[in-house]
Amino acid sequence: PPTPAPPAPTPTPAPPVENGSASATEDDPTVVLPAAAPPRKGPEAVGTVAPPALTRLALSKARKRARMRLAGRVSVALVSVLALLLTGIVWGYLRATDRGFAQVSALDTESTDVVDAPGQYGDETYLIVGTDTRAGASGEVGAGTELDAEGARSDTVILINIPADRSRVVAVSFPRDLDVTRPECQAWDSTTGDYTDEVYPAADGDKLNATYALGGPKCLVKVIQKMSGLRIGHFVGIDFAGFESMVDEVGGVDVCTTQPLIDDELGTILATTGEQRVDGRTALNYVRARKVEAEGTGDYGRIKRQQVFLSSLLRSVLSNRVLFDPGKLNGFVTAFTRDTFVENVKTADLLTLGKSLRGVDAGAVTFLTVPTAGTTYYGNEIPRTDDIDAIFRAIIDDQPLPGEQRAPETAPTTPDSTDTRAVATTPQVSLDPTAVSVQVSNGSEVGGLAATTADSLAAYGFQIVGTGNADATTTGPTVVRYGPGSIAEAATVASALPGAVLQETTSLGGIVEVILGGADAGTVTAPTPVGETLPTFDTAVDGAPTDVALPSDLTVTNAADATCM
């Protein structure tokens, strides 16, 4: 059956209204009802509030800020891309120029002929050789032929030293006919740049350039390193053809002469006097001429001209007309690498070195010439050995040189007196020998003692960084030298060397140098065990080296001197 409909709901009476009468309903026309309440709003959604209307100026500023943000993002992206591209281009350029260098074996950085090797750490020493192969391009530029002189000749030999603080540059020229003792040397083939299996025995009374002709760069480096005591870390050989190209690439070089330059072999080189710019071919003859009767100085007149010319060439390369002309700069670098053979020379290293020397004034660049005393009966220039030793001692000790114009704040000072008292050190604790770096220098008269002592120290774990000869022999005890803060390292080494004394110096950094001397020189015992208290040692208190007496008749050229020759 159908479900009955639910009953109608009973209407709920309306609440009373306060209007001065009884309750009323909506249907009652006599009842005055209150105004209807406004509809209740729900919570507003975040972010949906409409922004206020912007003025035209505000809209313009907003659009401008948006464009600036976009431009900023684009700029950052472009800079990043450019930086990446430039890095790749520079890296590729350096790699390309490095590949242009012909490599040759020349250096002997561990030679025992190096004097005070720790004192030379941080120095840069280059051996620059201007060569004449008498073949190929060099023969075409007037170097002669192989019939004149077979092989290569080192017509120009210059040793350049730059101290660690980059406060100066010293260039020492060697006469090509200097009388030298040639060591045993492996034969060198200048046409291939390789060494052969043939060995030349040692010989006295050889010419410097003949030493190069027979034994090549290796033999020449041995001779110069023994004579100077400098640690030669870089070798650069430049052929005549490369020299001519470099001069042409920089647009010529200014030279000056007070009289016409006429060579008995090369002819007229400069027909007029005064300052004049010369091209590569003329410049080559200018630095090669050695038979100029008007000069009357033979090879020394030629060396003087080379020194003056190199100063001018350096100024030309560093001038704006080369450095800020990409074509000329690239041409110069290309010419330099094309006819240059090197060891331990890279383009990046040269650029870094050049940057570090930007603060060096021309007055701090000094050219010296090795002094000689006449010639032998067979025509070799006789070296003044004591004076040569004094020159290189002054260079190694960074002492002032004649004519040098270094900035006062970089010039070294020497104390008025030297204190050689022995003072006992305070006790130290022994260190692990494997953490101590040692240079062994032989100050005794026993040959080969540095090498045998170094081997004995190495057997106990000491790290040997090199061996060599001290700058002078000594009758005193073995001296263990150390830098500030390294007394524990030095005392650990001294504990293995009977009779040793300590000496502090400012030139060694963290390296300890042993200078062998005295009756116990070469004797090595077990060092004090690690962690135990070391014995006390006498300390030789010594100041900077005393001034070296340099000869008064040195031939000196200062790069700041622009006086016409």
Side-chain angles (χ1 to χ4, degrees):
T3 302
T10 303
T12 302
V17 180
E18 294 293 334
N19 61 353
S21 64
S23 61
T25 65
E26 187 179 45
D27 294 334
D28 188 349
T30 65
V31 177
V32 179
L33 296 176
R40 182 177 297 175
K41 294 182 179 179
E44 295 180 349
V46 177
T48 60
V49 179
L54 296 178
T55 64
R56 183 177 300 175
L57 178 60
L59 286 172
S60 176
K61 289 182 177 180
R63 286 193 294 268
K64 186 175 182 181
R65 283 194 296 268
R67 287 195 300 269
M68 290 178 65
R69 285 194 296 270
L70 177 60
R73 296 190 189 101
V74 173
S75 298
V76 171
L78 286 175
V79 169
S80 301
V81 172
L82 283 174
L84 183 62
L85 287 175
L86 287 175
T87 301
I89 291 171
V90 171
W91 181 83
Y93 175 76
L94 294 178
R95 286 290 301 274
T97 53
D98 285 343
R99 285 195 296 268
F101 285 123
Q103 300 294 320
V104 65
S105 179
L107 304 177
D108 183 11
T109 56
E110 302 302 321
S111 171
T112 57
D113 293 324
V114 175
V115 174
D116 190 15
Q120 296 187 46
Y121 281 108
D123 292 5
E124 298 285 359
T125 302
Y126 290 76
L127 183 61
I128 312 293
V129 179
T131 68
D132 168 12
T133 61
R134 314 265 173 174
S138 288
E140 296 171 5
V141 297
T145 68
E146 290 183 279
L147 297 177
D148 300 324
E150 186 178 357
R153 293 291 183 269
S154 53
D155 273 11
T156 301
V157 178
I158 301 178
L159 188 61
I160 299 177
N161 175 261
I162 306 165
D165 63 3
R166 306 295 186 259
S167 62
R168 71 175 180 186
V169 178
V170 184
V172 182
S173 297
F174 295 79
R176 54 176 275 173
D177 293 338
L178 190 68
D179 190 83
V180 299
T181 297
R182 187 187 72 235
E184 182 181 274
C185 291
Q186 190 177 2
W188 185 59
D189 185 345
S190 62
T191 59
T192 63
D194 296 324
Y195 294 90
T196 69
D197 294 333
E198 185 178 1
V199 176
Y200 293 109
D204 294 327
D206 208 3
K207 280 183 170 66
L208 184 65
N209 69 338
T211 294
Y212 178 81
L214 294 175
K218 273 187 182 179
C219 201
L220 183 65
V221 166
K222 286 182 180 179
V223 171
I224 299 298
Q225 200 154 246
K226 185 175 185 64
M227 188 181 304
S228 67
L230 289 172
R231 179 184 175 274
I232 301 174
H234 312 273
F235 176 86
V236 179
I238 304 175
D239 202 62
F240 277 152
F243 177 86
E244 179 180 340
S245 298
M246 283 185 283
V247 173
D248 285 336
E249 288 293 346
V250 299
V253 173
D254 295 328
V255 299
C256 188
T257 182
T258 58
Q259 57 190 356
L261 186 62
I262 302 173
D263 183 82
D264 291 344
E265 182 177 333
L266 300 174
T268 300
I269 299 169
L270 297 178
T272 59
T273 60
E275 186 172 336
Q276 50 203 290
R277 181 163 296 179
V278 296
D279 60 11
R281 178 63 61 92
T282 304
L284 181 58
N285 287 333
Y286 178 84
V287 299
R288 289 179 56 225
R290 64 193 300 262
K291 296 182 179 180
V292 180
E293 185 176 350
E295 290 179 349
T297 53
D299 204 29
Y300 292 92
R302 181 173 69 98
I303 289 174
K304 182 70 173 179
R305 272 184 271 109
Q306 289 175 353
Q307 294 173 348
V308 172
F309 181 85
L310 287 174
S311 297
S312 183
L313 176 60
L314 181 63
R315 290 192 296 269
S316 295
V317 172
L318 296 178
S319 68
N320 293 349
R321 63 189 175 96
V322 175
L323 288 182
F324 295 108
D325 186 327
K328 286 185 177 180
L329 182 59
N330 182 66
F332 181 81
V333 172
T334 301
F336 181 73
T337 59
R338 185 174 56 238
D339 294 289
T340 303
F341 45 101
V342 303
E343 183 176 9
N344 196 29
V345 175
K346 293 183 178 180
T347 307
D349 298 333
L350 294 176
L351 293 175
T352 300
L353 180 63
K355 184 178 180 181
S356 69
L357 289 172
R358 285 187 303 184
V360 176
D361 294 329
V365 180
T366 305
F367 292 88
L368 302 173
T369 303
V370 166
T372 58
T375 60
T376 64
Y377 69 90
Y378 42 86
N380 289 4
E381 300 281 349
I382 303 172
R384 287 159 42 184
T385 306
D386 290 344
D387 290 337
I388 294 173
D389 289 344
I391 289 172
F392 288 110
R393 183 69 262 174
I395 292 173
I396 292 172
D397 290 342
D398 197 23
Q399 296 191 16
L401 298 170
E404 188 176 63
Q405 302 171 19
R406 257 195 290 187
E409 62 270 17
T410 61
T413 58
T414 302
D416 295 333
S417 62
T418 300
D419 188 354
T420 56
R421 295 171 298 159
V423 180
T425 62
T426 56
Q428 300 290 324
V429 175
S430 182
L431 303 178
D432 184 350
T434 60
V436 183
S437 299
V438 183
Q439 160 78 28
V440 183
S441 301
N442 189 7
S444 74
E445 295 182 350
V446 180
L449 194 61
T452 58
T453 303
D455 290 341
S456 298
L457 289 170
Y460 288 108
F462 290 104
Q463 304 300 300
I464 306 300
V465 298
T467 60
N469 292 324
D471 58 341
T473 57
T474 177
T475 58
T478 292
V479 177
V480 180
R481 303 172 70 217
Y482 63 96
S486 298
I487 187 172
E489 288 85 346
T492 302
V493 175
S495 71
L497 302 170
V501 299
L502 302 184
Q503 182 184 68
E504 185 174 4
T505 179
T506 59
S507 63
L508 291 175
I511 295 174
V512 174
E513 181 184 21
V514 174
I515 302 177
L516 299 172
D520 294 319
T523 302
V524 178
T525 62
T528 301
V530 179
E532 293 190 8
T533 301
L534 290 158
T536 58
F537 296 92
D538 284 343
T539 298
V541 181
D542 202 346
T546 56
D547 286 338
V548 175
L550 294 172
S552 60
D553 60 345
L554 278 180
T555 301
V556 180
T557 301
N558 188 275
D561 184 6
T563 304
C564 186
M565 288 178 55

